Amino acid sequence: MNPQQQTSTHLRLLPWPGPEGKPAHLVTDGTATPLALLADDVEEQQIEAAAVVLGLARAMVEEAAGLTTGELRFVCRRLCESLTDVLNVAESRGRRVPAYAPGAG
């Protein structure tokens, strides 16, 4: 195969689970396919949702004296969900960041 014809493929972690709740991946050459663009949009929505949850949780925790155990559990669950989503986005994006060139730094 001609080296100019070679395309590198990447395994992209998607921001939603696959069958049976396992991680879902997209094999891509780095082009903006409809599925890759959808994944980008979902990641942005997850990050925005996490920011909203964090803001609401901060306000609730600052007023913790009036919160019930159930309310605190609810806040903790939403924070855990948001943190899981954002960590998934970070992992996916981290895998797509090219390594430093040898001798850089």
Side-chain angles (χ1 to χ4, degrees):
M1 176 182 268
N2 182 341
Q4 293 175 338
Q5 293 175 330
Q6 284 183 328
T7 59
S8 68
T9 58
H10 306 280
L11 191 62
R12 177 183 178 166
L13 179 63
L14 294 172
W16 53 76
E20 301 173 10
K22 295 181 180 179
H25 294 85
L26 170 65
V27 177
T28 179
D29 62 1
T31 57
T33 64
L35 187 56
L37 293 173
L38 175 62
D40 290 343
D41 288 344
V42 170
E43 287 178 350
E44 288 305 315
Q45 291 171 9
Q46 289 174 328
I47 292 169
E48 289 172 13
V52 170
V53 169
L54 179 59
L56 294 171
R58 254 194 201 123
M60 289 179 77
V61 170
E62 287 174 4
E63 302 293 325
L67 292 179
T68 67
T69 302
E71 290 169 330
L72 285 172
R73 276 197 195 107
F74 177 81
V75 170
C76 288
R77 283 189 197 107
R78 301 299 78 80
L79 287 169
C80 289
E81 290 169 0
S82 295
L83 182 56
T84 299
D85 288 344
V86 171
L87 287 173
N88 189 50
V89 170
E91 180 181 350
S92 178
R93 292 182 180 184
R95 289 181 184 181
R96 290 181 273 152
V97 173
Y100 291 115

XYZ file of all heavy atoms in Angstrom:
780
model
N 0.846 -1.184 0.000
C 0.000 0.000 0.000
C 0.884 1.237 0.000
O 1.867 1.320 0.719
C -0.909 -0.019 1.236
C -1.754 1.218 1.365
S -2.784 1.215 2.839
C -4.255 0.498 2.167
N 0.528 2.192 -0.798
C 1.232 3.456 -0.881
C 1.076 4.198 0.448
O -0.041 4.361 0.934
C 0.628 4.264 -2.028
C 1.313 5.597 -2.241
O 1.997 6.108 -1.366
N 1.130 6.152 -3.424
N 2.180 4.684 1.046
C 2.069 5.387 2.334
C 1.132 6.584 2.292
O 0.521 6.947 3.271
C 3.504 5.820 2.649
C 4.385 4.938 1.833
C 3.575 4.549 0.629
N 1.004 7.220 1.116
C 0.108 8.365 1.025
C -1.351 7.935 1.097
O -2.217 8.730 1.399
C 0.366 9.127 -0.267
C 1.730 9.783 -0.288
C 2.017 10.426 -1.634
O 1.429 10.071 -2.642
N 2.945 11.375 -1.633
N -1.639 6.667 0.793
C -3.001 6.177 0.827
C -3.401 5.668 2.209
O -4.560 5.408 2.447
C -3.194 5.060 -0.200
C -3.077 5.545 -1.627
C -3.159 4.384 -2.594
O -2.766 3.263 -2.267
N -3.673 4.642 -3.786
N -2.429 5.489 3.080
C -2.729 4.980 4.405
C -3.492 6.016 5.208
O -3.196 7.202 5.148
C -1.447 4.627 5.175
C -0.803 3.364 4.734
C 0.414 3.057 5.590
O 1.094 3.957 6.065
N 0.669 1.795 5.800
N -4.472 5.555 5.928
C -5.169 6.428 6.868
C -5.010 5.822 8.241
O -5.063 4.609 8.391
C -6.667 6.551 6.531
O -7.243 5.255 6.555
C -6.870 7.193 5.171
N -4.787 6.656 9.215
C -4.681 6.129 10.561
C -6.076 6.052 11.151
O -6.927 6.898 10.888
C -3.762 6.982 11.428
O -4.336 8.227 11.667
N -6.302 5.032 11.915
C -7.600 4.889 12.554
C -7.437 5.090 14.047
O -6.389 4.813 14.619
C -8.224 3.506 12.279
O -7.338 2.494 12.749
C -8.485 3.308 10.800
N -8.495 5.596 14.625
C -8.504 5.877 16.050
C -9.752 5.260 16.640
O -10.801 5.207 16.007
C -8.523 7.392 16.306
C -7.418 8.124 15.620
N -6.148 8.175 16.114
C -7.399 8.815 14.458
C -5.386 8.879 15.289
N -6.128 9.277 14.279
N -9.632 4.834 17.852
C -10.769 4.302 18.586
C -11.256 5.403 19.515
O -10.551 5.815 20.430
C -10.343 3.066 19.386
C -11.440 2.235 20.000
C -12.345 1.650 18.913
C -10.830 1.093 20.802
N -12.456 5.917 19.261
C -13.008 7.010 20.056
C -14.033 6.465 21.034
O -14.979 5.787 20.658
C -13.684 8.035 19.150
C -14.325 9.145 19.967
C -15.055 10.132 19.118
N -15.683 11.131 19.994
C -16.168 12.262 19.567
N -16.109 12.574 18.285
N -16.714 13.106 20.409
N -13.858 6.797 22.296
C -14.832 6.461 23.327
C -16.022 7.386 23.162
O -15.873 8.607 23.133
C -14.208 6.628 24.711
C -15.094 6.343 25.909
C -15.541 4.873 25.919
C -14.345 6.668 27.190
N -17.214 6.809 23.026
C -18.415 7.611 22.834
C -19.037 7.998 24.174
O -18.848 7.289 25.175
C -19.427 6.839 21.980
C -18.977 6.588 20.541
C -19.944 5.652 19.824
C -18.834 7.893 19.784
N -19.783 9.098 24.210
C -20.345 9.581 25.479
C -21.658 8.912 25.874
O -22.440 9.480 26.629
C -20.540 11.075 25.209
C -20.800 11.161 23.756
C -19.955 10.069 23.140
N -21.912 7.731 25.375
C -23.093 6.961 25.770
C -22.697 5.500 25.819
O -21.749 5.078 25.152
C -24.263 7.177 24.807
C -23.914 6.935 23.373
C -23.754 5.720 22.755
C -23.635 7.922 22.381
N -23.409 5.894 21.444
C -23.334 7.239 21.184
C -23.627 9.301 22.380
C -23.020 7.887 20.004
C -23.313 9.944 21.198
C -23.022 9.248 20.036
N -23.387 4.715 26.611
C -23.029 3.300 26.708
C -23.509 2.510 25.493
O -24.467 2.893 24.818
C -23.744 2.833 27.976
C -24.887 3.782 28.117
C -24.441 5.089 27.534
N -22.825 1.419 25.249
C -23.231 0.508 24.188
C -24.165 -0.551 24.741
O -24.723 -0.400 25.831
N -24.319 -1.625 23.997
C -25.172 -2.722 24.467
C -24.723 -3.224 25.839
O -23.536 -3.251 26.136
C -24.986 -3.796 23.398
C -24.535 -3.052 22.186
C -23.737 -1.886 22.695
N -25.683 -3.558 26.639
C -25.437 -4.106 27.986
C -24.723 -3.114 28.893
O -24.076 -3.501 29.870
C -24.653 -5.414 27.886
C -25.362 -6.487 27.076
C -24.514 -7.714 26.839
O -23.438 -7.838 27.460
O -24.936 -8.548 26.029
N -24.790 -1.819 28.556
C -24.190 -0.796 29.409
C -22.681 -0.705 29.332
O -22.066 0.009 30.114
N -22.088 -1.407 28.405
C -20.623 -1.383 28.273
C -20.195 -0.151 27.471
O -20.988 0.423 26.724
C -20.149 -2.659 27.582
C -20.418 -3.898 28.407
C -19.927 -5.129 27.715
C -20.220 -6.350 28.585
N -19.790 -7.574 27.944
N -18.920 0.268 27.603
C -18.447 1.421 26.843
C -18.644 1.213 25.337
O -18.456 0.114 24.825
C -16.962 1.504 27.185
C -16.846 0.829 28.521
C -17.885 -0.269 28.492
N -19.030 2.282 24.657
C -19.217 2.243 23.209
C -18.078 3.009 22.544
O -17.623 4.030 23.064
C -20.552 2.878 22.840
N -17.620 2.499 21.436
C -16.503 3.121 20.720
C -16.847 3.315 19.257
O -17.671 2.596 18.690
C -15.250 2.245 20.824
C -14.719 2.127 22.209
N -15.191 1.202 23.105
C -13.787 2.846 22.865
C -14.550 1.345 24.256
N -13.702 2.343 24.131
N -16.184 4.277 18.649
C -16.304 4.553 17.229
C -14.913 4.433 16.636
O -13.971 5.057 17.120
C -16.850 5.976 17.012
C -16.831 6.517 15.591
C -17.766 5.704 14.686
C -17.216 7.990 15.572
N -14.784 3.620 15.596
C -13.523 3.538 14.873
C -13.578 4.629 13.820
O -14.493 4.663 12.997
C -13.328 2.148 14.220
C -12.033 2.106 13.418
C -13.335 1.057 15.282
N -12.629 5.533 13.872
C -12.661 6.711 13.007
C -11.276 7.018 12.460
O -10.268 6.619 13.035
C -13.210 7.928 13.778
O -13.207 9.059 12.910
C -12.382 8.236 14.997
N -11.261 7.728 11.363
C -9.999 8.214 10.810
C -9.792 9.684 11.156
O -8.914 10.343 10.634
C -9.943 7.997 9.296
C -11.026 8.741 8.548
O -11.821 9.451 9.191
O -11.079 8.612 7.310
N -10.650 10.204 12.039
C -10.522 11.589 12.474
C -11.368 12.559 11.680
O -11.310 13.764 11.928
N -12.144 12.066 10.718
C -12.997 12.968 9.947
C -14.289 13.242 10.706
O -14.685 12.484 11.583
C -13.323 12.385 8.554
O -13.949 11.112 8.725
C -12.078 12.237 7.709
N -14.944 14.316 10.316
C -16.172 14.744 10.994
C -17.374 13.992 10.424
O -18.138 14.529 9.634
C -16.349 16.243 10.851
N -17.539 12.766 10.841
C -18.681 11.972 10.399
C -19.918 12.387 11.204
O -19.789 12.996 12.277
C -18.422 10.471 10.612
O -18.303 10.229 12.022
C -17.159 10.012 9.906
N -21.115 12.057 10.720
C -22.311 12.396 11.490
C -22.286 11.827 12.915
O -22.688 12.518 13.855
C -23.449 11.787 10.660
C -22.935 11.811 9.251
C -21.462 11.507 9.387
N -21.801 10.614 13.098
C -21.757 10.035 14.441
C -20.734 10.761 15.321
O -20.988 11.019 16.498
C -21.445 8.540 14.385
C -21.538 7.783 15.700
C -22.919 7.936 16.343
C -21.221 6.311 15.493
N -19.599 11.121 14.757
C -18.585 11.863 15.525
C -19.121 13.230 15.934
O -18.903 13.683 17.068
C -17.302 12.010 14.709
N -19.832 13.909 15.019
C -20.399 15.220 15.340
C -21.498 15.104 16.393
O -21.605 15.962 17.280
C -20.939 15.889 14.074
C -19.872 16.274 13.041
C -20.524 16.760 11.760
C -18.917 17.298 13.600
N -22.295 14.033 16.322
C -23.313 13.789 17.347
C -22.646 13.571 18.701
O -23.075 14.122 19.720
C -24.175 12.587 16.975
C -25.207 12.163 18.025
C -26.224 13.277 18.277
C -25.907 10.884 17.583
N -21.568 12.790 18.720
C -20.840 12.552 19.967
C -20.286 13.863 20.529
O -20.343 14.098 21.736
C -19.711 11.540 19.741
N -19.765 14.735 19.651
C -19.273 16.047 20.096
C -20.400 16.848 20.752
O -20.209 17.458 21.808
C -18.718 16.850 18.916
C -17.423 16.287 18.358
O -16.767 15.477 19.038
O -17.079 16.669 17.221
N -21.579 16.839 20.120
C -22.727 17.575 20.667
C -23.151 17.012 22.024
O -23.439 17.776 22.954
C -23.916 17.530 19.702
C -23.706 18.382 18.462
O -22.802 19.244 18.468
O -24.441 18.166 17.479
N -23.189 15.690 22.138
C -23.586 15.060 23.409
C -22.573 15.403 24.492
O -22.948 15.724 25.626
C -23.757 13.537 23.244
C -23.931 12.853 24.596
C -24.946 13.230 22.335
N -21.291 15.370 24.159
C -20.262 15.742 25.148
C -20.462 17.171 25.636
O -20.371 17.435 26.841
C -18.864 15.587 24.544
C -18.413 14.165 24.374
C -17.040 14.042 23.740
O -16.479 15.041 23.249
O -16.521 12.918 23.744
N -20.735 18.083 24.728
C -20.955 19.479 25.122
C -22.173 19.603 26.029
O -22.152 20.342 27.020
C -21.113 20.370 23.890
C -19.818 20.595 23.133
C -18.692 21.150 23.988
O -18.931 22.097 24.772
O -17.565 20.633 23.887
N -23.232 18.870 25.718
C -24.429 18.889 26.563
C -24.128 18.326 27.947
O -24.618 18.851 28.960
C -25.554 18.098 25.909
C -26.114 18.748 24.665
C -27.069 17.845 23.920
O -27.457 16.788 24.388
N -27.468 18.265 22.723
N -23.328 17.272 28.005
C -22.970 16.689 29.300
C -22.151 17.659 30.137
O -22.364 17.779 31.349
C -22.207 15.373 29.092
C -23.075 14.259 28.571
C -22.289 13.010 28.229
O -21.126 13.076 27.814
N -22.921 11.860 28.397
N -21.239 18.363 29.508
C -20.417 19.342 30.230
C -21.283 20.489 30.739
O -21.160 20.918 31.894
C -19.267 19.853 29.338
C -18.260 18.721 29.087
C -18.587 21.069 29.955
C -17.240 19.030 28.010
N -22.184 20.976 29.890
C -23.086 22.053 30.303
C -24.005 21.599 31.438
O -24.231 22.352 32.406
C -23.912 22.526 29.114
C -23.115 23.293 28.084
C -23.884 23.586 26.812
O -25.125 23.414 26.790
O -23.247 23.994 25.823
N -24.523 20.388 31.355
C -25.389 19.864 32.410
C -24.622 19.742 33.724
O -25.152 20.054 34.799
C -25.971 18.512 32.004
N -23.372 19.301 33.646
C -22.555 19.177 34.854
C -22.343 20.539 35.510
O -22.375 20.652 36.739
C -21.210 18.530 34.520
N -22.141 21.566 34.711
C -21.966 22.913 35.263
C -23.232 23.380 35.975
O -23.164 23.977 37.058
C -21.588 23.891 34.148
N -24.389 23.081 35.401
C -25.662 23.448 36.030
C -25.845 22.691 37.337
O -26.195 23.276 38.372
C -26.846 23.184 35.071
C -28.170 23.317 35.793
C -26.782 24.138 33.888
N -25.607 21.375 37.312
C -25.752 20.552 38.521
C -24.819 21.058 39.610
O -25.209 21.174 40.776
C -25.496 19.059 38.218
C -25.369 18.244 39.495
C -26.610 18.498 37.336
N -23.582 21.372 39.238
C -22.624 21.870 40.227
C -23.109 23.173 40.849
O -23.049 23.350 42.073
C -21.251 22.059 39.590
C -20.155 22.603 40.501
C -19.937 21.696 41.701
C -18.875 22.795 39.712
N -23.608 24.069 40.037
C -24.114 25.340 40.562
C -25.274 25.136 41.523
O -25.330 25.755 42.593
N -26.206 24.267 41.151
C -27.347 23.992 42.031
C -26.904 23.280 43.309
O -27.390 23.598 44.402
C -28.378 23.141 41.285
C -29.055 23.821 40.097
C -29.885 22.815 39.311
C -29.903 24.991 40.562
N -25.984 22.338 43.168
C -25.510 21.601 44.341
C -24.786 22.527 45.314
O -24.973 22.433 46.527
C -24.588 20.464 43.914
N -23.969 23.420 44.785
C -23.257 24.372 45.650
C -24.243 25.188 46.470
O -24.073 25.357 47.684
C -22.427 25.312 44.784
C -20.995 25.029 44.830
C -20.154 26.145 44.244
N -18.892 25.539 43.906
C -18.351 25.541 42.716
N -18.941 26.160 41.724
N -17.214 24.949 42.501
N -25.268 25.687 45.800
C -26.270 26.500 46.501
C -26.978 25.671 47.574
O -27.212 26.163 48.688
C -27.277 27.058 45.506
N -27.299 24.427 47.256
C -27.996 23.577 48.228
C -27.106 23.250 49.419
O -27.551 23.276 50.561
C -28.467 22.283 47.563
C -29.616 22.484 46.594
S -30.120 20.942 45.806
C -31.053 20.204 47.156
N -25.850 22.947 49.144
C -24.929 22.567 50.223
C -24.640 23.755 51.133
O -24.501 23.601 52.346
C -23.638 21.958 49.647
C -22.564 21.786 50.706
C -23.949 20.620 48.975
N -24.576 24.953 50.571
C -24.354 26.141 51.392
C -25.522 26.374 52.343
O -25.360 26.951 53.408
C -24.114 27.364 50.501
C -22.758 27.335 49.832
C -22.568 28.450 48.832
O -23.454 29.322 48.688
O -21.516 28.461 48.169
N -26.689 25.909 51.959
C -27.888 26.016 52.796
C -28.213 24.662 53.428
O -29.364 24.355 53.686
C -29.071 26.493 51.944
C -28.856 27.818 51.260
C -28.761 28.981 52.239
O -29.457 28.946 53.277
O -27.983 29.910 51.977
N -27.201 23.853 53.684
C -27.376 22.460 54.112
C -28.180 22.302 55.391
O -28.748 21.242 55.634
C -26.016 21.786 54.272
N -28.264 23.320 56.212
C -28.978 23.190 57.485
C -30.425 22.771 57.288
O -30.984 22.041 58.094
C -28.913 24.505 58.251
N -31.038 23.163 56.184
C -32.434 22.837 55.962
C -32.653 21.626 55.076
O -33.790 21.274 54.779
N -31.590 20.964 54.631
C -31.735 19.829 53.719
C -31.990 18.534 54.463
O -31.406 18.282 55.515
C -30.479 19.661 52.863
C -30.192 20.746 51.840
C -28.909 20.432 51.091
C -31.335 20.896 50.866
N -32.831 17.718 53.879
C -33.063 16.385 54.436
C -32.006 15.431 53.903
O -31.299 15.734 52.930
C -34.452 15.860 54.023
O -34.449 15.640 52.608
C -35.556 16.824 54.420
N -31.922 14.282 54.513
C -30.997 13.250 54.036
C -31.330 12.863 52.598
O -30.437 12.688 51.770
C -31.065 12.010 54.947
O -30.750 12.418 56.275
C -30.095 10.946 54.513
N -32.601 12.758 52.285
C -33.022 12.418 50.931
C -32.595 13.454 49.907
O -32.191 13.114 48.795
N -32.703 14.724 50.275
C -32.287 15.791 49.371
C -30.781 15.757 49.138
O -30.306 15.939 48.007
C -32.710 17.147 49.926
C -34.214 17.368 49.872
C -34.668 18.570 50.652
O -34.015 18.936 51.670
O -35.687 19.166 50.262
N -30.028 15.516 50.212
C -28.569 15.418 50.055
C -28.189 14.219 49.187
O -27.277 14.309 48.359
C -27.885 15.328 51.417
C -27.814 16.645 52.184
C -27.302 16.420 53.600
C -26.934 17.647 51.452
N -28.881 13.105 49.355
C -28.631 11.927 48.512
C -28.912 12.255 47.051
O -28.177 11.860 46.156
C -29.483 10.745 48.955
C -28.892 9.970 50.064
C -29.567 8.590 50.182
N -29.211 8.035 51.459
C -30.019 7.924 52.499
N -31.286 8.269 52.403
N -29.597 7.421 53.633
N -30.013 12.953 46.806
C -30.374 13.339 45.451
C -29.260 14.178 44.821
O -28.837 13.933 43.695
C -31.696 14.121 45.444
C -32.099 14.605 44.089
C -32.718 13.765 43.187
C -31.834 15.921 43.711
C -33.085 14.216 41.922
C -32.191 16.373 42.454
C -32.810 15.522 41.555
N -28.778 15.164 45.561
C -27.699 16.022 45.067
C -26.452 15.196 44.789
O -25.810 15.346 43.743
C -27.384 17.155 46.077
C -26.121 17.900 45.696
C -28.551 18.113 46.174
N -26.113 14.301 45.703
C -24.922 13.458 45.520
C -25.059 12.564 44.290
O -24.101 12.391 43.538
C -24.661 12.611 46.762
S -24.041 13.576 48.139
N -26.244 12.010 44.075
C -26.464 11.169 42.878
C -26.258 11.979 41.601
O -25.625 11.521 40.656
C -27.858 10.559 42.897
C -28.002 9.396 43.825
C -29.362 8.700 43.625
N -29.637 7.869 44.773
C -30.529 8.136 45.723
N -31.283 9.211 45.651
N -30.689 7.315 46.734
N -26.836 13.178 41.551
C -26.692 14.007 40.346
C -25.230 14.407 40.142
O -24.741 14.437 39.017
C -27.562 15.273 40.439
C -29.052 15.064 40.612
C -29.778 14.312 39.494
N -29.650 12.886 39.450
C -30.322 11.980 40.207
N -31.165 12.370 41.121
N -30.132 10.696 40.048
N -24.532 14.720 41.233
C -23.114 15.058 41.121
C -22.311 13.864 40.614
O -21.431 14.020 39.760
C -22.562 15.544 42.464
C -23.003 16.934 42.883
C -22.609 17.198 44.341
C -22.411 17.993 41.975
N -22.615 12.681 41.113
C -21.915 11.469 40.654
C -22.177 11.212 39.177
O -21.253 10.876 38.423
C -22.329 10.257 41.478
S -21.693 10.275 43.165
N -23.426 11.368 38.751
C -23.758 11.188 37.332
C -22.997 12.184 36.471
O -22.419 11.819 35.440
C -25.262 11.373 37.108
C -26.109 10.268 37.676
C -27.597 10.613 37.684
O -27.968 11.727 37.239
O -28.380 9.767 38.145
N -23.001 13.436 36.888
C -22.320 14.472 36.118
C -20.814 14.248 36.088
O -20.181 14.407 35.036
C -22.621 15.852 36.708
O -23.981 16.149 36.564
N -20.247 13.884 37.218
C -18.807 13.644 37.268
C -18.436 12.458 36.382
O -17.428 12.496 35.659
C -18.353 13.408 38.704
C -16.854 13.197 38.912
C -16.053 14.358 38.345
C -16.553 12.994 40.388
N -19.242 11.418 36.384
C -18.992 10.264 35.525
C -19.007 10.674 34.060
O -18.115 10.299 33.287
C -20.050 9.166 35.782
O -19.950 8.752 37.148
C -19.855 7.973 34.868
N -19.999 11.475 33.667
C -20.080 11.943 32.281
C -18.862 12.780 31.902
O -18.259 12.583 30.833
C -21.345 12.781 32.062
C -22.617 11.961 32.047
O -22.541 10.717 31.903
O -23.701 12.576 32.182
N -18.493 13.708 32.765
C -17.376 14.605 32.454
C -16.049 13.841 32.428
O -15.193 14.104 31.579
C -17.339 15.801 33.436
C -16.070 16.615 33.270
C -18.562 16.675 33.218
N -15.872 12.872 33.309
C -14.658 12.048 33.267
C -14.595 11.235 31.978
O -13.523 11.048 31.393
C -14.579 11.130 34.484
C -14.244 11.819 35.799
C -14.363 10.832 36.966
C -12.858 12.431 35.753
N -15.738 10.752 31.519
C -15.807 10.021 30.252
C -15.398 10.942 29.096
O -14.628 10.541 28.220
C -17.220 9.473 30.038
C -17.308 8.538 28.867
O -16.519 7.609 28.733
N -18.291 8.768 28.009
N -15.893 12.173 29.111
C -15.525 13.146 28.075
C -14.018 13.414 28.134
O -13.337 13.430 27.101
C -16.323 14.460 28.229
C -15.779 15.548 27.306
C -17.804 14.223 27.965
N -13.500 13.603 29.321
C -12.059 13.875 29.472
C -11.226 12.706 28.964
O -10.211 12.909 28.274
C -11.732 14.169 30.934
N -11.643 11.496 29.280
C -10.917 10.318 28.804
C -10.959 10.241 27.280
O -9.941 10.020 26.629
C -11.511 9.044 29.404
C -10.810 7.783 28.952
C -11.422 6.520 29.519
O -12.285 6.593 30.414
O -11.035 5.439 29.051
N -12.137 10.447 26.720
C -12.282 10.395 25.263
C -11.424 11.451 24.587
O -10.697 11.172 23.634
C -13.753 10.600 24.882
O -13.914 10.611 23.488
N -11.486 12.672 25.084
C -10.717 13.756 24.477
C -9.224 13.577 24.715
O -8.410 13.898 23.858
C -11.201 15.101 24.984
C -12.600 15.412 24.474
C -13.099 16.756 24.905
N -14.438 16.990 24.371
C -15.098 18.116 24.512
N -14.554 19.123 25.173
N -16.301 18.243 23.996
N -8.872 13.050 25.875
C -7.460 12.804 26.170
C -6.840 11.794 25.227
O -5.673 11.909 24.840
N -7.624 10.814 24.827
C -7.125 9.815 23.880
C -6.888 10.420 22.496
O -6.127 9.896 21.713
C -8.122 8.669 23.740
C -8.210 7.786 24.945
C -9.199 6.682 24.699
N -9.384 5.855 25.891
C -10.191 4.809 25.929
N -10.885 4.461 24.861
N -10.305 4.118 27.030
N -7.585 11.518 22.201
C -7.467 12.142 20.873
C -6.408 13.220 20.825
O -6.096 13.728 19.749
C -8.824 12.711 20.455
C -9.822 11.595 20.160
C -11.152 12.156 19.727
N -11.950 12.415 20.927
C -12.889 13.328 21.023
N -13.168 14.099 20.016
N -13.571 13.479 22.141
N -5.838 13.588 21.950
C -4.778 14.601 21.964
C -3.491 13.927 21.523
O -3.094 12.907 22.082
C -4.612 15.197 23.384
C -3.409 16.115 23.443
C -5.886 15.919 23.808
N -2.845 14.483 20.501
C -1.606 13.846 20.049
C -0.513 13.928 21.109
O -0.478 14.863 21.919
C -1.217 14.660 18.810
C -2.007 15.906 18.863
C -3.186 15.668 19.758
N 0.343 12.938 21.083
C 1.453 12.905 22.033
C 2.428 14.027 21.695
O 2.483 14.503 20.546
C 2.162 11.555 21.955
N 3.198 14.447 22.684
C 4.227 15.450 22.445
C 5.272 14.888 21.487
O 5.568 13.691 21.522
C 4.916 15.863 23.749
C 4.033 16.653 24.677
C 3.658 16.147 25.902
C 3.567 17.903 24.305
C 2.850 16.869 26.763
C 2.749 18.635 25.153
C 2.401 18.112 26.379
O 1.594 18.831 27.209
N 5.813 15.743 20.671
C 6.873 15.335 19.764
C 8.117 15.010 20.587
O 8.348 15.617 21.636
C 7.170 16.450 18.767
N 8.918 14.050 20.130
C 10.159 13.728 20.847
C 11.022 14.970 21.025
O 11.175 15.771 20.089
C 10.845 12.706 19.941
C 9.762 12.145 19.084
C 8.745 13.242 18.921
N 11.528 15.154 22.211
C 12.404 16.282 22.504
C 11.667 17.574 22.804
O 12.295 18.579 23.078
N 10.346 17.544 22.757
C 9.579 18.765 23.073
C 9.568 18.980 24.571
O 9.484 18.051 25.339
C 8.145 18.659 22.545
N 9.595 20.218 24.972
C 9.460 20.524 26.386
C 10.757 20.813 26.966
O 11.191 21.085 27.945
